[in-house]
Amino acid sequence: MRIAVTGGSGKLGRTVVAYLREHGHEVFNLDVTGPREPGTIRVDFTNYGETVDALMGVNDRYDGLDALVHLAAIPAPGILSDVATFDNNMVSTFHVLQAARRAGITNIVVASSETVLGLPFDTPPPYIPVDEQYPARPESVYSLTKHLEEQLAIELTRWDEELKIISLRFSNVMYEEDYAEFPSFDADARARKWNLWGYIDSRDGAQAVLRALEWPGAGYERFIIAAADTVMSRSNAELVAEVFPDTPVRGDLGEHTTLLSITKARTVLGYDPQHSWRDTQRGD
């Protein structure tokens, strides 16, 4: 496929661009920043003219696209003011999705966020492990934009039965070098309770993107994307008993199994995370 990745210069974006290219796809990084090289085009997604022009084609680089991966965003709360975060993320996502429709691109993957599940869980989740079944609970303006982006995708796919938009609710993205810090988390169970001790290796995040692009369905779907395990050496039973003692538990928690359920992504997309911080501790 010929694929545009918005935000391909970001932490997850760099891995996604490289992963898709390794799997034989022609990939263009569309970002407001990035190196001056043939595969990167600088685009300000708050400008609709720039956005639609880039998705229609760029000089001799390409004259059309088969698929779109939208990762560009202010990536977390607290980086900019609430208003700046809302303005950037909502306007950019609408511009990108609207421009994609105008360009005839019907295969779209959008980065959502684990934050829509209720992070930082100052109000405990309705049950553990969490999944995609309960309504979104945004607790920050950043999370609110991700929830509204999901709602936007629902309506756009309702309007167009040929359109496929998949929202991937990514957990906290990590590189292999980030894992050196993980053993220190055991000292305080509450230090990482804000996302139920979850994470996602960027390489597995990229795998999820490709699985979503290759999924043959249409319409709208959302999936939690996390590693298969938690960031903790302490057992799930111990963590939940200490931090969320009154929260209902659904099923077997497992020893260190992720509490951000990836069952739906495994079942529907065939997502199969291959990387764990524990491998680095064993020297694998």
Side-chain angles (χ1 to χ4, degrees), residues 18-19 31 49 120 153 176 185 192 220 225 231 265 277 284:
Y19 187 89
D31 207 333
E176 190 169 2
F185 297 152
R192 293 278 309 189
Y220 177 75
I225 302 298
V231 302
W277 72 276
D284 293 357

PDB file of all heavy atoms in Angstrom, residues 18-19 31 49 120 153 176 185 192 220 225 231 265 277 284:
ATOM      1  N   ALA A  18       8.909   3.190  10.085  1.00  0.00           N
ATOM      2  CA  ALA A  18       9.935   2.188   9.804  1.00  0.00           C
ATOM      3  C   ALA A  18       9.331   0.791   9.660  1.00  0.00           C
ATOM      4  O   ALA A  18       9.699   0.031   8.753  1.00  0.00           O
ATOM      5  CB  ALA A  18      10.984   2.197  10.913  1.00  0.00           C
ATOM      6  N   TYR A  19       8.382   0.443  10.521  1.00  0.00           N
ATOM      7  CA  TYR A  19       7.767  -0.886  10.515  1.00  0.00           C
ATOM      8  C   TYR A  19       6.979  -1.117   9.229  1.00  0.00           C
ATOM      9  O   TYR A  19       7.094  -2.189   8.597  1.00  0.00           O
ATOM     10  CB  TYR A  19       6.859  -1.016  11.727  1.00  0.00           C
ATOM     11  CG  TYR A  19       6.270  -2.384  11.960  1.00  0.00           C
ATOM     12  CD1 TYR A  19       6.946  -3.323  12.730  1.00  0.00           C
ATOM     13  CD2 TYR A  19       5.022  -2.735  11.442  1.00  0.00           C
ATOM     14  CE1 TYR A  19       6.402  -4.577  12.978  1.00  0.00           C
ATOM     15  CE2 TYR A  19       4.472  -3.981  11.682  1.00  0.00           C
ATOM     16  CZ  TYR A  19       5.164  -4.900  12.446  1.00  0.00           C
ATOM     17  OH  TYR A  19       4.627  -6.149  12.666  1.00  0.00           O
ATOM     18  N   ASP A  31       4.218  15.621   8.580  1.00  0.00           N
ATOM     19  CA  ASP A  31       4.368  16.154   9.929  1.00  0.00           C
ATOM     20  C   ASP A  31       4.737  17.622   9.852  1.00  0.00           C
ATOM     21  O   ASP A  31       5.317  18.072   8.858  1.00  0.00           O
ATOM     22  CB  ASP A  31       5.442  15.376  10.700  1.00  0.00           C
ATOM     23  CG  ASP A  31       5.226  15.405  12.202  1.00  0.00           C
ATOM     24  OD1 ASP A  31       4.623  16.372  12.705  1.00  0.00           O
ATOM     25  OD2 ASP A  31       5.666  14.461  12.885  1.00  0.00           O
ATOM     26  N   GLY A  49      -6.236  23.673   3.866  1.00  0.00           N
ATOM     27  CA  GLY A  49      -5.706  23.695   2.501  1.00  0.00           C
ATOM     28  C   GLY A  49      -4.456  22.866   2.369  1.00  0.00           C
ATOM     29  O   GLY A  49      -4.312  22.066   1.434  1.00  0.00           O
ATOM     30  N   PRO A 120      -6.679   9.534  35.179  1.00  0.00           N
ATOM     31  CA  PRO A 120      -5.731   8.713  35.943  1.00  0.00           C
ATOM     32  C   PRO A 120      -6.369   7.819  37.007  1.00  0.00           C
ATOM     33  O   PRO A 120      -5.725   7.450  37.982  1.00  0.00           O
ATOM     34  CB  PRO A 120      -4.832   9.767  36.582  1.00  0.00           C
ATOM     35  CG  PRO A 120      -5.754  10.911  36.846  1.00  0.00           C
ATOM     36  CD  PRO A 120      -6.701  10.930  35.684  1.00  0.00           C
ATOM     37  N   ALA A 153     -15.353   9.951  14.194  1.00  0.00           N
ATOM     38  CA  ALA A 153     -15.161   8.808  13.302  1.00  0.00           C
ATOM     39  C   ALA A 153     -16.427   7.968  13.189  1.00  0.00           C
ATOM     40  O   ALA A 153     -16.760   7.462  12.104  1.00  0.00           O
ATOM     41  CB  ALA A 153     -14.001   7.952  13.806  1.00  0.00           C
ATOM     42  N   GLU A 176      12.757   0.505  23.978  1.00  0.00           N
ATOM     43  CA  GLU A 176      13.497  -0.487  24.768  1.00  0.00           C
ATOM     44  C   GLU A 176      14.362   0.176  25.832  1.00  0.00           C
ATOM     45  O   GLU A 176      14.491  -0.337  26.949  1.00  0.00           O
ATOM     46  CB  GLU A 176      14.353  -1.353  23.842  1.00  0.00           C
ATOM     47  CG  GLU A 176      14.963  -2.562  24.521  1.00  0.00           C
ATOM     48  CD  GLU A 176      15.584  -3.530  23.534  1.00  0.00           C
ATOM     49  OE1 GLU A 176      15.581  -3.244  22.327  1.00  0.00           O
ATOM     50  OE2 GLU A 176      16.081  -4.582  23.995  1.00  0.00           O
ATOM     51  N   PHE A 185       9.553   0.895  39.729  1.00  0.00           N
ATOM     52  CA  PHE A 185       8.122   1.117  39.936  1.00  0.00           C
ATOM     53  C   PHE A 185       7.570   0.286  41.085  1.00  0.00           C
ATOM     54  O   PHE A 185       6.553   0.645  41.688  1.00  0.00           O
ATOM     55  CB  PHE A 185       7.338   0.792  38.659  1.00  0.00           C
ATOM     56  CG  PHE A 185       7.660   1.662  37.474  1.00  0.00           C
ATOM     57  CD1 PHE A 185       7.506   1.182  36.181  1.00  0.00           C
ATOM     58  CD2 PHE A 185       8.120   2.964  37.638  1.00  0.00           C
ATOM     59  CE1 PHE A 185       7.792   1.971  35.080  1.00  0.00           C
ATOM     60  CE2 PHE A 185       8.417   3.765  36.542  1.00  0.00           C
ATOM     61  CZ  PHE A 185       8.246   3.260  35.264  1.00  0.00           C
ATOM     62  N   ARG A 192       2.223   4.204  39.431  1.00  0.00           N
ATOM     63  CA  ARG A 192       1.790   3.896  38.072  1.00  0.00           C
ATOM     64  C   ARG A 192       0.354   3.387  38.015  1.00  0.00           C
ATOM     65  O   ARG A 192      -0.064   2.820  37.001  1.00  0.00           O
ATOM     66  CB  ARG A 192       2.722   2.839  37.455  1.00  0.00           C
ATOM     67  CG  ARG A 192       4.144   3.295  37.191  1.00  0.00           C
ATOM     68  CD  ARG A 192       4.292   4.066  35.904  1.00  0.00           C
ATOM     69  NE  ARG A 192       3.710   3.388  34.769  1.00  0.00           N
ATOM     70  CZ  ARG A 192       3.868   3.776  33.508  1.00  0.00           C
ATOM     71  NH1 ARG A 192       4.592   4.845  33.231  1.00  0.00           N
ATOM     72  NH2 ARG A 192       3.301   3.114  32.521  1.00  0.00           N
ATOM     73  N   TYR A 220     -16.750   1.462  11.730  1.00  0.00           N
ATOM     74  CA  TYR A 220     -15.913   1.974  12.817  1.00  0.00           C
ATOM     75  C   TYR A 220     -15.670   0.894  13.860  1.00  0.00           C
ATOM     76  O   TYR A 220     -16.577   0.144  14.227  1.00  0.00           O
ATOM     77  CB  TYR A 220     -16.570   3.180  13.498  1.00  0.00           C
ATOM     78  CG  TYR A 220     -15.751   3.686  14.663  1.00  0.00           C
ATOM     79  CD1 TYR A 220     -14.597   4.417  14.448  1.00  0.00           C
ATOM     80  CD2 TYR A 220     -16.117   3.379  15.983  1.00  0.00           C
ATOM     81  CE1 TYR A 220     -13.824   4.847  15.507  1.00  0.00           C
ATOM     82  CE2 TYR A 220     -15.351   3.815  17.045  1.00  0.00           C
ATOM     83  CZ  TYR A 220     -14.202   4.548  16.802  1.00  0.00           C
ATOM     84  OH  TYR A 220     -13.419   4.972  17.849  1.00  0.00           O
ATOM     85  N   ILE A 225      -4.848  -0.997  22.833  1.00  0.00           N
ATOM     86  CA  ILE A 225      -3.584  -1.573  22.400  1.00  0.00           C
ATOM     87  C   ILE A 225      -2.554  -1.384  23.513  1.00  0.00           C
ATOM     88  O   ILE A 225      -2.130  -0.269  23.812  1.00  0.00           O
ATOM     89  CB  ILE A 225      -3.083  -0.915  21.093  1.00  0.00           C
ATOM     90  CG1 ILE A 225      -4.126  -1.080  19.975  1.00  0.00           C
ATOM     91  CG2 ILE A 225      -1.736  -1.508  20.681  1.00  0.00           C
ATOM     92  CD1 ILE A 225      -4.421  -2.516  19.595  1.00  0.00           C
ATOM     93  N   VAL A 231       3.775  -3.147  33.955  1.00  0.00           N
ATOM     94  CA  VAL A 231       5.122  -2.621  34.191  1.00  0.00           C
ATOM     95  C   VAL A 231       5.690  -3.126  35.517  1.00  0.00           C
ATOM     96  O   VAL A 231       6.821  -2.784  35.876  1.00  0.00           O
ATOM     97  CB  VAL A 231       5.129  -1.080  34.199  1.00  0.00           C
ATOM     98  CG1 VAL A 231       4.586  -0.515  32.895  1.00  0.00           C
ATOM     99  CG2 VAL A 231       4.343  -0.510  35.386  1.00  0.00           C
ATOM    100  N   ALA A 265      -8.609  -6.824  20.576  1.00  0.00           N
ATOM    101  CA  ALA A 265      -7.598  -6.627  19.531  1.00  0.00           C
ATOM    102  C   ALA A 265      -7.000  -7.957  19.095  1.00  0.00           C
ATOM    103  O   ALA A 265      -6.738  -8.171  17.905  1.00  0.00           O
ATOM    104  CB  ALA A 265      -6.504  -5.681  20.019  1.00  0.00           C
ATOM    105  N   TRP A 277       9.144  -5.667  28.630  1.00  0.00           N
ATOM    106  CA  TRP A 277      10.285  -5.139  29.377  1.00  0.00           C
ATOM    107  C   TRP A 277      11.001  -6.245  30.138  1.00  0.00           C
ATOM    108  O   TRP A 277      12.201  -6.147  30.413  1.00  0.00           O
ATOM    109  CB  TRP A 277       9.822  -4.050  30.353  1.00  0.00           C
ATOM    110  CG  TRP A 277       9.041  -4.547  31.539  1.00  0.00           C
ATOM    111  CD1 TRP A 277       7.710  -4.821  31.601  1.00  0.00           C
ATOM    112  CD2 TRP A 277       9.557  -4.829  32.837  1.00  0.00           C
ATOM    113  NE1 TRP A 277       7.354  -5.253  32.859  1.00  0.00           N
ATOM    114  CE2 TRP A 277       8.469  -5.253  33.651  1.00  0.00           C
ATOM    115  CE3 TRP A 277      10.824  -4.755  33.421  1.00  0.00           C
ATOM    116  CZ2 TRP A 277       8.617  -5.608  34.990  1.00  0.00           C
ATOM    117  CZ3 TRP A 277      10.976  -5.102  34.768  1.00  0.00           C
ATOM    118  CH2 TRP A 277       9.879  -5.523  35.526  1.00  0.00           C
ATOM    119  N   ASP A 284      17.223 -11.225  27.115  1.00  0.00           N
ATOM    120  CA  ASP A 284      16.753 -11.792  25.840  1.00  0.00           C
ATOM    121  C   ASP A 284      16.951 -10.797  24.708  1.00  0.00           C
ATOM    122  O   ASP A 284      16.851  -9.594  24.908  1.00  0.00           O
ATOM    123  CB  ASP A 284      15.269 -12.151  25.958  1.00  0.00           C
ATOM    124  CG  ASP A 284      15.060 -13.304  26.933  1.00  0.00           C
ATOM    125  OD1 ASP A 284      16.048 -13.826  27.452  1.00  0.00           O
ATOM    126  OD2 ASP A 284      13.883 -13.643  27.178  1.00  0.00           O
TER     127      ASP A 284
END
